[in-house]
Amino acid sequence: MFGSDVLLAMGLSFVLTYLLGSLNFAVIVSRLLYHDDVRNYGSGNAGMTNMLRTYGKKAAFLTGLGDFFKGTASVLIARTIIGSLGVELPFDGGWVGAIGVLLGHLFPIFFHFKGGKGILAACGAILLMNPDLFVVLFIGFVPIAFITRIVSVLGASAYPILVYIKCRLIGRPPLLDVTFALICVALILYMHRENIKRLLNGTEKKIGRPGK
C-alpha cells in the first residue's frame, strides 16, 4: 500500500503536470498571433499539423516547440517533487509527469477539454525518460514522416516494445515501465483513431496539405 506521503507526492506531481499540459500552445499561439482559434479550421485538432495547414510554418514551429518542451518540463517537475519529498517509488517518478502532461494536452481544462493528439508532448517526455529510445524513434520514424509526408503513429506503437527490450537488457523488471508506456500509447492511438482509419483507407491528408 502507498503511504500518505507517496500519494501526496504523486497527486501533487500529477495535478501540476496536468495543468501544464492543459496549456495548449496551438490554441494559445492562434489566439495571440491571429486572434482566432485553430480548432475552428481543418481537422479541428489543436496540434502542430493543423497549425501548419491553417497558419503556416511559423505558427507550427512555435506550437511544436511549446508542446515538446512542456513534455520534458513535466518529467522534471514530477521527479523534482517526488525526490524533494523523499519519496521512493518502485518506478521512475517521471512517468507520473508524462501521463499528467499527456492527459492535460489531450483534455485541457483551460480550453473546454478539447486539445491536441499528444505526439509532441509525449516525445518531449520520452526525451528525458528514455533518451536512448528517443534517438531510436527519431532515427527510425522521422524519415518516414518526411518521405511519406504523413504523420505516422508507428513510433508510438513501437515504444512499449522498445521499453520492454531496454528493461530486459539492463536487468530491470519491465512490468511497470511497459504498463505506463502502454497507457501513454493507448491514449495517443485513441486520439488518432480517425487518422488510422484514413491511413488504412488511403485518404489521410499529407503534412502541409491544406484541409478542406
Side-chain angles (χ1 to χ4, degrees):
M1 293 290 293
F2 288 144
S4 58
D5 55 340
V6 174
L7 294 178
L8 173 63
M10 292 178 61
L12 182 59
S13 299
F14 178 81
V15 170
L16 290 178
T17 55
Y18 170 79
L19 292 175
L20 177 58
S22 292
L23 296 174
N24 188 284
F25 282 89
V27 178
I28 293 172
V29 170
S30 62
R31 288 185 177 180
L32 288 179
L33 296 186
Y34 305 100
H35 308 291
D36 207 344
D37 191 327
V38 68
R39 294 173 297 179
N40 296 327
Y41 302 94
S43 64
N45 177 57
M48 186 183 73
T49 302
N50 199 32
M51 288 290 282
L52 177 62
R53 292 170 177 157
T54 305
Y55 299 114
K57 294 179 181 179
K58 176 183 176 181
F61 174 77
L62 293 174
T63 299
L65 201 65
D67 287 343
F68 182 87
F69 282 106
K70 75 182 180 185
T72 61
S74 291
V75 173
L76 284 174
I77 289 170
R79 285 176 173 172
T80 300
I81 291 174
I82 292 170
S84 63
L85 293 178
V87 171
E88 292 187 6
L89 299 175
F91 54 85
D92 186 341
W95 281 113
V96 179
I99 294 175
V101 73
L102 188 56
L103 285 172
H105 182 78
L106 303 182
F107 311 107
I109 192 172
F110 303 129
F111 302 112
H112 308 291
F113 302 99
K114 185 181 179 183
K117 296 184 178 180
I119 290 291
L120 283 174
C123 286
I126 291 172
L127 177 62
L128 285 193
M129 293 290 299
N130 292 290
D132 47 355
L133 299 187
F134 176 86
V135 173
V136 172
L137 292 172
F138 186 86
I139 294 174
F141 294 99
V142 168
I144 295 176
F146 275 103
I147 293 171
T148 63
R149 298 182 67 207
I150 292 175
V151 176
S152 175
V153 295
L154 293 175
S157 302
Y159 184 58
I161 300 172
L162 294 175
V163 169
Y164 175 81
I165 294 172
K166 178 181 177 179
C167 287
R168 298 294 292 183
L169 289 174
I170 66 177
R172 185 167 66 200
L175 179 60
L176 291 175
D177 289 270
V178 172
T179 298
F180 287 126
L182 285 171
I183 291 172
C184 293
V185 169
L187 288 169
I188 289 174
L189 292 181
Y190 174 76
M191 298 304 295
H192 282 83
R193 61 194 183 279
E194 296 300 325
N195 301 81
I196 294 171
K197 290 179 182 178
R198 290 194 294 269
L199 282 171
L200 294 174
N201 295 331
T203 59
E204 174 70 340
K205 300 183 186 73
K206 294 183 177 181
I207 298 173
R209 177 178 294 176
K212 293 182 180 180

